[in-house]
Amino acid sequence: MAAARGATDGGESAWTGVLPVEDTELAVIDTGGPGTPVVYLNGAFASQKHWRRVIADLGPGYRHITYDEQACGASKRSVDYSFEAAVRDLDAVLTATGVARPLLAGWSYGALLGVHWADRRPNRPALANAETAGFQRFQRGQHRPSIRSDFELCYDI
């Protein structure tokens, strides 16, 4: 896979690849496009594949960015699994994709990561915090019609 693209692309084209970050490599998927960028933050030990149905439901009006955290999915292992490393990795994904003001959607560990990242950078994000139970109900196909309206209501877009 190719190295991550730089911010000069502006996110207009889709990109899938590997992002080198210190001693690891993160698997990243960016759908590209001019829509509002949404970065999805996985629960502990999960991978970006868990967001597929949410992304499909929200549709092409958004720019969807997912990545596998260290040692999850297609990403490589690391010697540093600290919370600070997870924050650093999120910063690296945002830099590589050229996203300055993301909407962060997370569940479980990903929600915690998003809250801490946003707290440290109050001028940057809007934040979605999806709880684990709600995500599991959605994954089983329940409450599908409300996902889009709840998401848009959170962001007033």
Side-chain angles (χ1 to χ4, degrees):
M1 292 184 161
R5 69 164 177 241
T8 58
D9 180 273
E12 293 298 320
S13 61
W15 181 83
T16 299
V18 173
L19 173 63
V21 181
E22 297 203 14
D23 72 331
T24 190
E25 294 179 343
L26 304 176
V28 180
I29 298 173
D30 180 350
T31 63
T36 302
V38 182
V39 179
Y40 299 88
L41 305 172
N42 310 325
F45 309 112
S47 70
Q48 56 189 319
K49 72 179 181 180
H50 291 91
W51 290 106
R52 288 180 188 155
R53 292 181 73 184
V54 174
I55 291 168
D57 193 53
L58 290 175
Y62 297 91
R63 178 180 171 194
H64 305 282
I65 300 168
T66 60
Y67 70 99
D68 289 329
E69 292 181 20
Q70 299 175 11
C72 294
S75 290
K76 303 296 183 193
R77 293 183 181 189
S78 174
V79 296
D80 184 3
Y81 294 103
S82 68
F83 195 75
E84 291 304 315
V87 171
R88 174 206 66 210
D89 292 348
L90 175 54
D91 276 328
V93 169
L94 294 171
T95 299
T97 56
V99 174
R101 292 191 45 83
L103 299 181
L104 300 176
W107 94 88
S108 187
Y109 180 80
L112 182 64
L113 173 60
V115 167
H116 280 271
W117 186 90
D119 185 57
R120 296 172 189 192
R121 295 150 185 84
N123 61 333
R124 288 190 67 187
L127 179 70
N129 183 353
E131 296 182 24
T132 304
F135 182 79
Q136 289 171 343
R137 280 195 306 273
F138 174 74
Q139 286 297 86
R140 288 194 302 265
Q142 298 175 11
H143 307 294
R144 279 188 69 84
S146 68
I147 294 296
R148 176 183 282 280
S149 61
D150 287 350
F151 189 84
E152 290 175 346
L153 192 74
C154 285
Y155 298 112
D156 193 29
I157 48 179

